């Protein structure tokens, strides 16, 4: 149930069905993300996924094409591995994925979220934000898009 204040407003930000997101710890200044209340976990497009050790800790290197329908722009990312787990996609196919935890900027909100890594080349959006990341912070308006605006480059510092 959504609680409204006396004037009928809510303290939750409103998201459209797609939004701009920044992932500052991965040097991703902006990426389009689909807001998916049907998905439990968030997912980020990744290819050339290679685990390695750094100071006794498990890390993963992966590359990402941050722009939709473009493979000429690539960013190499590195992150500690939080977990590796089985995830079911929307078609019911199970895949064992690396899980990282990183900050994401969505409008004025900074969220620390678990994100699974998977190849989303065949998908329209390079990132999917699932309901666990939203965790009661937002209301989704499925008729709207990009209500939070583009992340500013100084938000990522």
């Amino acid at each position: 149930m959504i609680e409204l204040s006396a004037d009928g407003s809510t303290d939750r930000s409103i998201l459209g069905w797609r939004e701009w997101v920044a992932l500052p710890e991965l040097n991703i200044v902006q990426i389009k993300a689909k807001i998916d209340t049907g998905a439990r976990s968030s997912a980020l497009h990744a290819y050339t996924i290679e685990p390695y050790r750094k100071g006794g800790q498990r890390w993963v290197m992966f590359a990402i094409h941050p722009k939709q329908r473009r493979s000429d722009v690539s960013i190499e990312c590195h992150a500690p591995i939080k977990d590796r787990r089985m995830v079911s996609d929307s078609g019911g196919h199970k895949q064992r994925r690396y899980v990282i935890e990183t900050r994401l900027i969505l409008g004025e909100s900074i969220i620390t979220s678990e994100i699974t890594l998977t190849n989303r080349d065949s998908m329209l959006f390079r990132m999917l934000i699932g309901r666990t990341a939203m965790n009661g912070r937002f209301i989704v308006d499925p008729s709207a898009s990009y209500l939070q605006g583009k992340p500013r480059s100084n938000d990522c510092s």
Side-chain angles (χ1 to χ4, degrees):
M1 180 177 204
I2 298 170
E3 293 187 30
L4 301 177
S5 64
D7 67 356
S9 64
T10 178
D11 61 349
R12 297 187 203 177
S13 296
I14 300 174
L15 302 178
W17 72 272
R18 55 189 172 176
E19 291 289 345
W20 288 100
V21 176
L23 302 162
E25 294 164 347
L26 302 176
N27 296 317
I28 299 171
V29 177
Q30 62 185 29
I31 188 170
K32 289 180 182 178
K34 179 180 179 183
I35 308 302
D36 191 345
T37 59
R40 188 177 85 61
S41 57
S42 299
L44 181 63
H45 167 65
Y47 68 96
T48 314
I49 300 170
E50 296 178 5
Y52 65 96
R53 289 211 171 267
K54 178 178 173 182
Q57 189 177 17
R58 294 180 333 140
W59 282 64
V60 65
M61 184 287 297
F62 58 96
I64 176 171
H65 298 301
K67 297 180 185 276
Q68 292 176 197
R69 295 185 285 279
R70 288 194 51 193
S71 58
D72 60 324
V73 178
S74 183
I75 298 173
E76 182 178 301
C77 303
H78 296 261
I81 297 171
K82 180 165 185 181
D83 196 7
R84 193 152 185 224
R85 60 179 77 126
M86 293 299 288
V87 177
S88 294
D89 65 18
S90 59
H93 305 97
K94 294 187 184 295
Q95 179 187 42
R96 190 167 163 90
R97 296 183 188 174
Y98 286 101
V99 180
I100 63 169
E101 185 173 81
T102 191
R103 285 183 306 131
L104 61 92
I105 299 172
L106 185 53
E108 299 294 317
S109 300
I110 299 174
I111 302 163
T112 299
S113 179
E114 289 186 353
I115 299 172
T116 66
L117 303 177
T118 186
N119 191 314
R120 294 182 56 83
D121 262 337
S122 64
M123 309 301 261
L124 181 59
F125 288 89
R126 301 297 192 190
M127 184 167 192
L128 183 112
I129 306 291
R131 62 182 179 272
T132 304
M134 293 183 269
N135 196 19
R137 297 178 182 96
F138 303 101
I139 295 171
V140 179
D141 179 350
S143 68
S145 295
Y146 307 117
L147 296 176
Q148 297 299 310
K150 286 187 177 182
R152 298 180 309 266
S153 58
N154 61 341
D155 289 340
C156 292
S157 46

